Amino acid sequence: MILVLSGEGKTDLGELDFETGEFKAGAMYMIIDKIIETKYNYSPYRTSKDNIKYIPESELSKKAKSLKPIKLPSANSKKETAYFFRNARALATISKEYENCIAIFFRDSDGTNSSTNSEWQDKYDSILKGFDSTNFKKGIAMLPKPKSEAWLICALKNKYQNCNNLENESGNDISPKSLKKQLEVYNLSNEQICEKIENNEIDIEKIKMNSFEKFKSRLEEIIND
């Protein structure tokens, strides 16, 4: 199985080491790895890292701009949802170069303020439509609401209780009670968070949030297919 990934930075899916070209995992990738390990009893990151293809956000953007424009699925598509569609389409195009491939497109759903459920759903649907526009059937949207810190705080602060409330908080990093600041209280490095996921100290099976479960069920469906 080859994983083709696109994220926003080293603390979500991860990054490339520019000296070696090797992929270095972030916390969101370790969640993916743990789900796959549960199914196949092996960790792609520990045993087959060569099969992880990470596409930096800037590279994906260039690919999206190079593709011939097509009419968006909805005449009422907003600029922000068009962004998700076009970048997922670009990731799908890259992914089709590989056999036995799964593509995972990660983005925070809202970095400025709390988005409504309908806005989140529009973005989620736009990602899947971007994959579908190239007839790529194994594309997955990893779209935390409002951002990835909420999924981690569910475990660290909320002890897996009432976590859907976190999806209604602001994603604005300059807010006094921003999710980013709430996570920083624990003084954990990216590597430490990854270790907690790997060691089940952050138990992803206990995270019950709508955006998380949507992602997890889609990934499980595809790897079980």
Side-chain angles (χ1 to χ4, degrees):
M1 178 195 305
I2 293 175
L3 300 174
V4 181
L5 314 172
S6 175
E8 294 180 310
K10 66 179 184 180
T11 58
D12 49 70
L13 283 186
E15 63 179 349
L16 293 178
D17 184 318
F18 289 105
E19 291 186 1
T20 64
E22 186 176 82
F23 174 65
K24 297 173 66 176
M28 294 298 103
Y29 172 77
M30 293 311 299
I31 289 173
I32 296 167
D33 204 82
K34 181 62 67 173
I35 293 170
I36 294 173
E37 184 177 20
T38 299
K39 166 65 177 177
Y40 291 109
N41 200 31
Y42 87 99
S43 160
Y45 190 67
R46 292 197 302 271
T47 62
S48 55
K49 196 180 292 188
D50 288 346
N51 289 336
I52 302 172
K53 313 299 181 182
Y54 183 78
I55 313 301
E57 188 175 10
S58 58
E59 182 179 334
L60 189 68
S61 179
K62 290 179 182 178
K63 182 66 174 180
K65 291 176 182 177
S66 74
L67 297 176
K68 183 178 178 179
I70 62 174
K71 186 176 180 179
L72 296 177
S74 170
N76 297 321
S77 293
K78 299 177 182 178
K79 181 179 179 180
E80 58 186 9
T81 54
Y83 163 85
F84 288 101
F85 175 89
R86 290 173 179 141
N87 281 273
R89 179 187 175 214
L91 188 62
T93 302
I94 294 170
S95 300
K96 291 179 77 171
E97 299 173 6
Y98 302 98
E99 294 183 3
N100 190 26
C101 167
I102 291 173
I104 301 177
F105 181 81
F106 171 93
R107 293 292 185 273
D108 286 322
S109 63
D110 184 25
T112 56
N113 50 52
S114 181
S115 59
T116 66
N117 288 331
S118 62
E119 288 172 339
W120 181 89
Q121 190 66 52
D122 286 345
K123 293 172 183 178
Y124 183 89
D125 291 343
S126 292
I127 296 171
L128 296 189
K129 288 173 182 176
F131 287 129
D132 288 343
S133 70
T134 69
N135 199 34
F136 184 76
K137 303 301 183 184
K138 292 189 175 183
I140 299 163
M142 193 175 195
L143 190 70
K145 182 175 184 295
K147 57 197 313 176
S148 61
E149 284 87 349
W151 290 0
L152 301 172
I153 291 169
C154 171
L156 295 171
K157 180 179 179 180
N158 283 31
K159 306 298 182 185
Y160 312 101
Q161 301 299 311
N162 303 312
C163 290
N164 266 328
N165 293 334
L166 292 166
E167 296 194 333
N168 298 319
E169 295 198 21
S170 172
N172 190 339
D173 288 344
I174 65 173
S175 170
K177 295 184 179 180
S178 72
L179 291 168
K180 184 176 182 179
K181 288 184 176 67
Q182 290 183 50
L183 185 61
E184 287 175 348
V185 167
Y186 296 90
N187 196 31
L188 294 169
S189 68
N190 177 61
E191 290 76 14
Q192 288 172 318
I193 293 174
C194 287
E195 287 177 6
K196 284 183 176 294
I197 295 169
E198 187 175 9
N199 298 332
N200 294 316
E201 292 177 59
I202 293 178
D203 187 347
I204 64 172
E205 294 300 323
K206 293 181 179 179
I207 298 175
K208 304 300 179 185
M209 301 175 67
N210 291 336
S211 60
F212 181 84
E213 292 182 278
K214 193 95 169 179
F215 153 73
K216 184 171 179 284
S217 63
R218 171 84 174 172
L219 176 55
E220 289 174 337
E221 176 188 350
I222 287 178
I223 63 176
N224 286 330
D225 190 0

